[in-house]
Amino acid sequence: MRLCRKPPREITGLNMTAMIDIVFLLIIFFMTVSRITQDRAAEVRLPEVVAGVDTDLAEPLDIAVLRDGTVLVDGLATDLAGTAGRVAAIARGLAVAPQTLVIQLRVDRECDSAVVNRLLKELEAAGIQRVFAAVLVE
């Protein structure tokens, strides 16, 4: 009795040419896109956060700006226009010139930046030159 033998199947290989072409095209695409985004990015030197206060500074006067725009000078609520006058009165009480007074500005992260800008202009008009922003260090 003769058994039917099938001829052995030819093992066909996978054609990887198309896949390699696609991989090379993707690499070229991502290299080009990353170069374009680097060209459009502005060169900015970001400030470094130091976890401490400079030792040569006097004890800072604390000004806080709350979420709703309320300004607290040394814990007392003040309107925005009266902030510079209040700071000048504190400087007279401490017998220091406004130029040497150190201000630590703490602003709620959800506060409108227009309030902060007006506050800084008020302090500048009053001759306050040393204003430092408090940041959260994690």
Side-chain angles (χ1 to χ4, degrees), residues 1-9:
M1 167 184 262
R2 188 167 181 194
L3 295 175
C4 178
R5 286 193 171 197
K6 292 183 181 177
R9 292 177 50 191

Side-chain angles (χ1 to χ4, degrees), residues 93-104:
L94 295 173
V96 296
Q99 294 83 5
T100 60
L101 192 62
V102 179
I103 305 289
Q104 178 180 346

